[in-house]
Amino acid sequence: MDARCPAVSVACRSVPTDKRARQRAAREQKQAIIQKGRKRQRNLRRGIGLVILAAAIVGIVFLVNGSGKAATTTTTTSTTLATTTTTTSTTTTSVPTGTTFPTPTTQPLTTAAVTPTCPPTTGATKRVVWFKSKPPTCVTASSVFDATFETSLGNIVVSMPTAASPAGVNNFVFLARYHYFDGTFFHRVIQGFVVQGGDPTGLGTGGVHAYPGYSFTGTTPPASCKTNASQSTCYQPGDLVYANSTGPSTNGSQFFFVLAGGQKMLDTEPNYTIFGKVTSPAGMAILAKIGADGAPDTSSTGTPTVKVYLLKVGITQVSG
């Protein structure tokens, strides 16, 4: 070993030749390229990860916003339907706020006319509204009946002595026992005049079959009522009277109650059959309430502002 170049001396280490330098440079360049490629791959993987993460976040946000929008739509729709339902119900029935009427229940209307026979005194098992002819005589001449009109505002009791109107009382008892009037309503109400019902169709015409399918002739007040209305046989408030189309020979099922003041007009043309009278102040009060919600006397239809139902008519024989 040369004493002038100790092994540990940097100055005495081997100096690489040009070939070795080039080889080393090539190796270093190759390593640099490899490292650069690896770095690019790491960046690419990182970028892909970021894209996937961003997409996931966007998806979650979309789902959350979509669910919130759906919930809002459902709530809005539900509220609208509830409002619509309430409005429609109120408009259809014309019931004042806070008033609840019983719902009438009744059997379907008759689809074919039947031969009239006297119904049981307890009432028929099946409702009938269409008959081939007027009823036979089903009551005795001396009998007296109470008819209880069960309305959605309360009961109205009417006394019906057969002797005062034989055909009229017989006809009403016959129809009531066939449940003819059950579930109907007062379709024509005119303030200070009348409260009219007795049409199963609610039209006031009897429908295409002209229910009950027949007519009969009833008794009427004397013609002298035109000039002397103070007679007991003339029209009075609370009277139950048959409506007709052209005179007392066209009576059917429709009837009306005379309201206070209505008798004055009726007495000028006494062509309507009286067959009963309200028996109590309570009944008259109910009639007055129905009448107060009627149409004005100038109305051509008499359609009331509040629909009052006749839920049922019960018949009780008091005597005879």
Side-chain angles (χ1 to χ4, degrees):
M1 183 179 290
D2 192 345
R4 291 177 298 176
C5 291
V8 297
S9 174
V10 175
C12 292
R13 289 180 181 178
S14 299
V15 176
T17 63
D18 291 340
K19 182 179 180 179
R20 289 178 177 176
R22 287 195 301 272
Q23 290 175 345
R24 182 178 181 180
R27 286 194 299 271
E28 290 176 353
Q29 184 178 8
K30 184 179 180 180
Q31 288 296 324
I33 291 172
I34 291 172
Q35 292 298 326
K36 187 175 182 180
R38 290 176 178 173
K39 184 177 181 180
R40 186 182 297 113
Q41 288 178 353
R42 287 195 300 270
N43 290 339
L44 180 60
R45 287 195 296 269
R46 186 180 295 111
I48 293 173
L50 291 174
V51 170
I52 294 174
L53 180 60
I57 293 173
V58 171
I60 292 172
V61 171
F62 178 80
L63 289 174
V64 172
N65 289 340
S67 298
K69 184 177 181 180
T72 302
T73 302
T74 301
T75 300
T76 302
T77 302
S78 177
T79 301
T80 302
L81 287 174
T83 302
T84 303
T85 302
T86 303
T87 303
T88 302
S89 176
T90 302
T91 302
T92 301
T93 59
S94 300
V95 177
T97 302
T99 300
T100 301
F101 287 163
T103 302
T105 57
T106 185
Q107 301 174 30
L109 298 180
T110 312
T111 57
V114 302
T115 300
T117 58
C118 294
T121 57
T122 55
T125 57
K126 181 180 179 181
R127 185 188 192 206
V128 181
V129 299
W130 189 11
F131 299 90
K132 293 181 178 180
S133 61
K134 66 182 181 179
T137 300
C138 299
V139 301
T140 61
S142 60
S143 58
V144 177
F145 297 88
D146 277 352
T148 301
F149 292 71
E150 297 181 16
T151 80
S152 51
L153 292 183
N155 293 350
I156 302 171
V157 180
V158 175
S159 177
M160 301 186 305
T162 302
S165 180
V169 172
N170 181 72
N171 180 70
F172 193 83
V173 170
F174 170 83
L175 292 175
R177 285 177 172 169
Y178 270 113
H179 310 288
Y180 185 95
F181 305 105
D182 297 5
T184 60
F185 61 91
F186 297 105
H187 62 272
R188 181 171 180 256
V189 181
I190 299 179
Q191 297 174 5
F193 186 39
V194 297
V195 172
Q196 184 170 333
D199 183 358
T201 70
L203 301 174
T205 63
V208 294
H209 301 303
Y211 297 134
Y214 63 83
S215 60
F216 71 94
T217 301
T219 56
T220 58
S224 57
C225 288
K226 294 180 180 181
T227 56
N228 183 14
S230 62
Q231 302 173 75
S232 60
T233 52
C234 298
Y235 299 105
Q236 298 177 15
D239 281 349
L240 181 59
V241 186
Y242 278 110
N244 61 54
S245 56
T246 57
S249 62
T250 58
N251 292 336
S253 65
Q254 293 191 47
F255 60 85
F256 60 84
F257 289 98
V258 181
L259 293 174
Q263 74 277 11
K264 296 178 181 179
M265 183 176 295
L266 291 168
D267 281 331
T268 64
E269 190 179 358
N271 292 328
Y272 303 93
T273 300
I274 302 172
F275 64 100
K277 189 174 184 62
V278 177
T279 62
S280 70
M284 291 300 293
I286 292 173
L287 281 180
K289 188 172 183 179
I290 299 173
D293 291 318
D297 57 8
T298 56
S299 172
S300 59
T301 63
T303 302
T305 58
V306 174
K307 182 183 291 185
V308 177
Y309 289 100
L310 177 52
L311 308 175
K312 177 183 178 181
V313 176
I315 299 296
T316 302
Q317 185 167 346
V318 179
S319 63

